mmCIF file of all heavy atoms in Angstrom:
data_model
loop_
_atom_site.group_PDB
_atom_site.id
_atom_site.type_symbol
_atom_site.label_atom_id
_atom_site.label_comp_id
_atom_site.label_asym_id
_atom_site.label_seq_id
_atom_site.Cartn_x
_atom_site.Cartn_y
_atom_site.Cartn_z
ATOM 1 N N LYS J 100 15.794 101.796 94.331
ATOM 2 C CA LYS J 100 15.462 102.085 92.929
ATOM 3 C C LYS J 100 14.255 101.278 92.477
ATOM 4 O O LYS J 100 13.397 101.768 91.743
ATOM 5 C CB LYS J 100 16.657 101.793 92.016
ATOM 6 C CG LYS J 100 17.694 102.885 92.044
ATOM 7 C CD LYS J 100 18.776 102.662 90.982
ATOM 8 C CE LYS J 100 19.879 103.689 91.135
ATOM 9 N NZ LYS J 100 21.145 103.222 90.569
ATOM 10 N N THR J 101 14.216 100.009 92.868
ATOM 11 C CA THR J 101 13.112 99.140 92.448
ATOM 12 C C THR J 101 11.788 99.652 93.015
ATOM 13 O O THR J 101 10.777 99.696 92.308
ATOM 14 C CB THR J 101 13.363 97.689 92.927
ATOM 15 O OG1 THR J 101 14.645 97.270 92.436
ATOM 16 C CG2 THR J 101 12.284 96.757 92.395
ATOM 17 N N VAL J 102 11.805 100.060 94.298
ATOM 18 C CA VAL J 102 10.577 100.578 94.903
ATOM 19 C C VAL J 102 10.091 101.786 94.109
ATOM 20 O O VAL J 102 8.930 101.864 93.698
ATOM 21 C CB VAL J 102 10.815 100.964 96.381
ATOM 22 C CG1 VAL J 102 9.629 101.752 96.928
ATOM 23 C CG2 VAL J 102 11.049 99.710 97.221
ATOM 24 N N LEU J 103 10.997 102.738 93.852
ATOM 25 C CA LEU J 103 10.586 103.959 93.165
ATOM 26 C C LEU J 103 10.129 103.689 91.728
ATOM 27 O O LEU J 103 9.269 104.406 91.201
ATOM 28 C CB LEU J 103 11.729 104.989 93.176
ATOM 29 C CG LEU J 103 11.969 105.639 94.535
ATOM 30 C CD1 LEU J 103 13.222 106.502 94.519
ATOM 31 C CD2 LEU J 103 10.768 106.477 94.970
ATOM 32 N N SER J 104 10.691 102.640 91.111
ATOM 33 C CA SER J 104 10.275 102.331 89.731
ATOM 34 C C SER J 104 8.893 101.691 89.685
ATOM 35 O O SER J 104 8.231 101.730 88.672
ATOM 36 C CB SER J 104 11.305 101.408 89.067
ATOM 37 O OG SER J 104 11.197 100.099 89.610
ATOM 38 N N LYS J 105 8.466 101.090 90.803
ATOM 39 C CA LYS J 105 7.175 100.407 90.818
ATOM 40 C C LYS J 105 6.036 101.321 91.238
ATOM 41 O O LYS J 105 4.865 100.987 91.052
ATOM 42 C CB LYS J 105 7.224 99.197 91.770
ATOM 43 C CG LYS J 105 8.013 98.015 91.207
ATOM 44 C CD LYS J 105 8.015 96.863 92.192
ATOM 45 C CE LYS J 105 8.886 95.720 91.708
ATOM 46 N NZ LYS J 105 8.239 94.935 90.628
ATOM 47 N N VAL J 106 6.355 102.434 91.872
ATOM 48 C CA VAL J 106 5.313 103.354 92.297
ATOM 49 C C VAL J 106 5.625 104.742 91.787
ATOM 50 O O VAL J 106 6.697 105.002 91.260
ATOM 51 C CB VAL J 106 5.164 103.415 93.839
ATOM 52 C CG1 VAL J 106 4.623 102.111 94.365
ATOM 53 C CG2 VAL J 106 6.462 103.799 94.499
ATOM 54 N N ASN J 107 4.676 105.586 91.966
ATOM 55 C CA ASN J 107 4.676 106.915 91.387
ATOM 56 C C ASN J 107 4.854 107.936 92.512
ATOM 57 O O ASN J 107 4.172 108.939 92.530
ATOM 58 C CB ASN J 107 3.277 107.067 90.767
ATOM 59 C CG ASN J 107 3.286 108.021 89.621
ATOM 60 O OD1 ASN J 107 4.351 108.507 89.243
ATOM 61 N ND2 ASN J 107 2.118 108.314 89.096
ATOM 62 N N TYR J 108 5.740 107.618 93.463
ATOM 63 C CA TYR J 108 5.739 108.381 94.703
ATOM 64 C C TYR J 108 6.976 109.243 94.902
ATOM 65 O O TYR J 108 7.310 109.590 96.031
ATOM 66 C CB TYR J 108 5.601 107.409 95.894
ATOM 67 C CG TYR J 108 4.277 106.659 95.950
ATOM 68 C CD1 TYR J 108 4.168 105.484 96.697
ATOM 69 C CD2 TYR J 108 3.140 107.113 95.284
ATOM 70 C CE1 TYR J 108 2.968 104.791 96.779
ATOM 71 C CE2 TYR J 108 1.944 106.418 95.343
ATOM 72 C CZ TYR J 108 1.861 105.258 96.086
ATOM 73 O OH TYR J 108 0.684 104.563 96.154
ATOM 74 N N ASP J 109 7.672 109.593 93.816
ATOM 75 C CA ASP J 109 8.878 110.416 93.946
ATOM 76 C C ASP J 109 8.618 111.720 94.691
ATOM 77 O O ASP J 109 9.502 112.226 95.374
ATOM 78 C CB ASP J 109 9.435 110.799 92.570
ATOM 79 C CG ASP J 109 10.029 109.607 91.860
ATOM 80 O OD1 ASP J 109 9.288 108.634 91.597
ATOM 81 O OD2 ASP J 109 11.243 109.649 91.561
ATOM 82 N N ASN J 110 7.435 112.301 94.558
ATOM 83 C CA ASN J 110 7.175 113.648 95.060
ATOM 84 C C ASN J 110 6.420 113.707 96.378
ATOM 85 O O ASN J 110 6.033 114.792 96.827
ATOM 86 C CB ASN J 110 6.422 114.468 94.002
ATOM 87 C CG ASN J 110 7.246 114.649 92.748
ATOM 88 O OD1 ASN J 110 8.466 114.748 92.822
ATOM 89 N ND2 ASN J 110 6.584 114.675 91.616
ATOM 90 N N ILE J 111 6.155 112.534 96.961
ATOM 91 C CA ILE J 111 5.443 112.531 98.244
ATOM 92 C C ILE J 111 6.216 111.709 99.279
ATOM 93 O O ILE J 111 7.167 110.993 98.938
ATOM 94 C CB ILE J 111 4.007 111.966 98.109
ATOM 95 C CG1 ILE J 111 4.041 110.505 97.637
ATOM 96 C CG2 ILE J 111 3.179 112.827 97.158
ATOM 97 C CD1 ILE J 111 2.677 109.815 97.702
ATOM 98 N N PHE J 112 5.816 111.840 100.517
ATOM 99 C CA PHE J 112 6.386 111.026 101.585
ATOM 100 C C PHE J 112 5.679 109.668 101.581
ATOM 101 O O PHE J 112 4.480 109.585 101.400
ATOM 102 C CB PHE J 112 6.148 111.691 102.945
ATOM 103 C CG PHE J 112 6.962 112.940 103.170
ATOM 104 C CD1 PHE J 112 6.515 114.169 102.693
ATOM 105 C CD2 PHE J 112 8.171 112.901 103.838
ATOM 106 C CE1 PHE J 112 7.257 115.332 102.873
ATOM 107 C CE2 PHE J 112 8.920 114.052 104.042
ATOM 108 C CZ PHE J 112 8.462 115.272 103.565
ATOM 109 N N PHE J 113 6.468 108.596 101.767
ATOM 110 C CA PHE J 113 5.829 107.306 102.023
ATOM 111 C C PHE J 113 6.677 106.508 102.986
ATOM 112 O O PHE J 113 7.859 106.778 103.184
ATOM 113 C CB PHE J 113 5.552 106.528 100.722
ATOM 114 C CG PHE J 113 6.748 106.087 99.916
ATOM 115 C CD1 PHE J 113 7.396 104.877 100.176
ATOM 116 C CD2 PHE J 113 7.221 106.873 98.866
ATOM 117 C CE1 PHE J 113 8.463 104.473 99.413
ATOM 118 C CE2 PHE J 113 8.311 106.470 98.098
ATOM 119 C CZ PHE J 113 8.930 105.279 98.373
ATOM 120 N N SER J 114 6.062 105.540 103.641
ATOM 121 C CA SER J 114 6.788 104.687 104.546
ATOM 122 C C SER J 114 7.111 103.366 103.859
ATOM 123 O O SER J 114 6.372 102.914 102.959
ATOM 124 C CB SER J 114 5.996 104.418 105.827
ATOM 125 O OG SER J 114 6.791 103.645 106.722
ATOM 126 N N PHE J 115 8.208 102.769 104.282
ATOM 127 C CA PHE J 115 8.734 101.536 103.724
ATOM 128 C C PHE J 115 8.927 100.546 104.872
ATOM 129 O O PHE J 115 9.499 100.899 105.903
ATOM 130 C CB PHE J 115 10.091 101.860 103.071
ATOM 131 C CG PHE J 115 10.888 100.661 102.655
ATOM 132 C CD1 PHE J 115 10.917 100.269 101.313
ATOM 133 C CD2 PHE J 115 11.623 99.933 103.574
ATOM 134 C CE1 PHE J 115 11.671 99.172 100.931
ATOM 135 C CE2 PHE J 115 12.363 98.828 103.190
ATOM 136 C CZ PHE J 115 12.386 98.446 101.862
ATOM 137 N N ARG J 116 8.399 99.332 104.683
ATOM 138 C CA ARG J 116 8.643 98.298 105.707
ATOM 139 C C ARG J 116 8.994 97.005 104.995
ATOM 140 O O ARG J 116 8.385 96.655 103.978
ATOM 141 C CB ARG J 116 7.393 98.105 106.568
ATOM 142 C CG ARG J 116 7.608 97.143 107.734
ATOM 143 C CD ARG J 116 6.383 97.096 108.666
ATOM 144 N NE ARG J 116 5.244 96.473 108.021
ATOM 145 C CZ ARG J 116 4.041 96.347 108.592
ATOM 146 N NH1 ARG J 116 3.824 96.840 109.813
ATOM 147 N NH2 ARG J 116 3.066 95.759 107.955
ATOM 148 N N LEU J 117 10.005 96.334 105.519
ATOM 149 C CA LEU J 117 10.410 95.053 104.949
ATOM 150 C C LEU J 117 10.703 94.126 106.113
ATOM 151 O O LEU J 117 11.662 94.345 106.861
ATOM 152 C CB LEU J 117 11.657 95.223 104.067
ATOM 153 C CG LEU J 117 12.486 93.988 103.757
ATOM 154 C CD1 LEU J 117 11.663 92.915 103.033
ATOM 155 C CD2 LEU J 117 13.687 94.368 102.896
ATOM 156 N N HIS J 118 9.855 93.118 106.264
ATOM 157 C CA HIS J 118 10.178 92.086 107.248
ATOM 158 C C HIS J 118 10.652 90.878 106.471
ATOM 159 O O HIS J 118 10.026 90.449 105.498
ATOM 160 C CB HIS J 118 8.955 91.720 108.094
ATOM 161 C CG HIS J 118 9.298 90.742 109.177
ATOM 162 N ND1 HIS J 118 9.054 89.405 109.055
ATOM 163 C CD2 HIS J 118 9.894 90.925 110.376
ATOM 164 C CE1 HIS J 118 9.485 88.786 110.164
ATOM 165 N NE2 HIS J 118 9.997 89.695 110.979
ATOM 166 N N GLY J 119 11.803 90.350 106.875
ATOM 167 C CA GLY J 119 12.329 89.221 106.117
ATOM 168 C C GLY J 119 13.478 88.580 106.834
ATOM 169 O O GLY J 119 13.784 88.897 107.987
ATOM 170 N N ASN J 120 14.091 87.649 106.140
ATOM 171 C CA ASN J 120 15.253 86.965 106.690
ATOM 172 C C ASN J 120 16.500 87.525 106.021
ATOM 173 O O ASN J 120 16.655 87.451 104.812
ATOM 174 C CB ASN J 120 15.159 85.460 106.428
ATOM 175 C CG ASN J 120 16.180 84.718 107.254
ATOM 176 O OD1 ASN J 120 16.320 84.964 108.442
ATOM 177 N ND2 ASN J 120 16.944 83.848 106.593
ATOM 178 N N PHE J 121 17.383 88.096 106.860
ATOM 179 C CA PHE J 121 18.563 88.766 106.333
ATOM 180 C C PHE J 121 19.786 87.864 106.513
ATOM 181 O O PHE J 121 20.122 87.468 107.624
ATOM 182 C CB PHE J 121 18.783 90.100 107.067
ATOM 183 C CG PHE J 121 17.727 91.096 106.722
ATOM 184 C CD1 PHE J 121 16.456 91.056 107.349
ATOM 185 C CD2 PHE J 121 17.941 92.074 105.761
ATOM 186 C CE1 PHE J 121 15.476 91.965 107.013
ATOM 187 C CE2 PHE J 121 16.950 92.989 105.431
ATOM 188 C CZ PHE J 121 15.712 92.940 106.052
ATOM 189 N N LYS J 122 20.430 87.535 105.394
ATOM 190 C CA LYS J 122 21.649 86.742 105.452
ATOM 191 C C LYS J 122 22.734 87.519 106.186
ATOM 192 O O LYS J 122 23.476 86.995 106.994
ATOM 193 C CB LYS J 122 22.155 86.438 104.023
ATOM 194 C CG LYS J 122 21.567 85.174 103.443
ATOM 195 C CD LYS J 122 22.225 84.823 102.114
ATOM 196 C CE LYS J 122 21.858 85.850 101.033
ATOM 197 N NZ LYS J 122 22.178 85.364 99.672
ATOM 198 N N LYS J 123 22.798 88.813 105.858
ATOM 199 C CA LYS J 123 23.726 89.696 106.557
ATOM 200 C C LYS J 123 23.018 91.022 106.802
ATOM 201 O O LYS J 123 22.227 91.476 105.982
ATOM 202 C CB LYS J 123 24.973 89.969 105.704
ATOM 203 C CG LYS J 123 25.893 88.772 105.577
ATOM 204 C CD LYS J 123 27.181 89.154 104.865
ATOM 205 C CE LYS J 123 28.052 87.923 104.679
ATOM 206 N NZ LYS J 123 29.212 88.189 103.779
ATOM 207 N N ILE J 124 23.339 91.625 107.935
ATOM 208 C CA ILE J 124 22.785 92.953 108.209
ATOM 209 C C ILE J 124 23.890 93.787 108.876
ATOM 210 O O ILE J 124 24.630 93.276 109.726
ATOM 211 C CB ILE J 124 21.514 92.875 109.092
ATOM 212 C CG1 ILE J 124 20.903 94.254 109.291
ATOM 213 C CG2 ILE J 124 21.792 92.205 110.448
ATOM 214 C CD1 ILE J 124 20.094 94.735 108.131
ATOM 215 N N ALA J 125 24.032 95.009 108.443
ATOM 216 C CA ALA J 125 25.022 95.921 109.031
ATOM 217 C C ALA J 125 24.324 97.221 109.401
ATOM 218 O O ALA J 125 23.554 97.762 108.602
ATOM 219 C CB ALA J 125 26.162 96.196 108.039
ATOM 220 N N THR J 126 24.567 97.686 110.620
ATOM 221 C CA THR J 126 23.893 98.885 111.127
ATOM 222 C C THR J 126 24.899 99.779 111.842
ATOM 223 O O THR J 126 26.059 99.385 112.037
ATOM 224 C CB THR J 126 22.785 98.533 112.127
ATOM 225 O OG1 THR J 126 23.384 97.881 113.256
ATOM 226 C CG2 THR J 126 21.739 97.603 111.509
ATOM 227 N N ARG J 127 24.427 100.940 112.244
ATOM 228 C CA ARG J 127 25.277 101.812 113.067
ATOM 229 C C ARG J 127 24.426 102.547 114.087
ATOM 230 O O ARG J 127 23.194 102.681 113.935
ATOM 231 C CB ARG J 127 26.024 102.826 112.210
ATOM 232 C CG ARG J 127 25.158 103.823 111.516
ATOM 233 C CD ARG J 127 25.996 104.936 110.925
ATOM 234 N NE ARG J 127 25.292 105.743 109.964
ATOM 235 C CZ ARG J 127 24.469 106.752 110.236
ATOM 236 N NH1 ARG J 127 24.206 107.052 111.504
ATOM 237 N NH2 ARG J 127 23.900 107.437 109.273
ATOM 238 N N SER J 128 25.092 103.041 115.134
ATOM 239 C CA SER J 128 24.448 103.915 116.109
ATOM 240 C C SER J 128 25.548 104.750 116.749
ATOM 241 O O SER J 128 26.735 104.409 116.648
ATOM 242 C CB SER J 128 23.696 103.088 117.150
ATOM 243 O OG SER J 128 22.895 103.927 117.964
#
Side-chain angles (χ1 to χ4, degrees):
Chain J
K100 281 188 186 156
T101 305
V102 169
L103 287 173
S104 73
K105 285 180 185 284
V106 292
N107 207 4
Y108 295 160
D109 290 61
N110 296 327
I111 62 170
F112 290 84
F113 64 87
S114 184
F115 170 101
R116 186 174 69 182
L117 161 60
H118 185 261
N120 193 48
F121 291 80
K122 271 188 292 195
K123 289 187 183 170
I124 184 79
T126 63
R127 66 169 165 82
S128 190

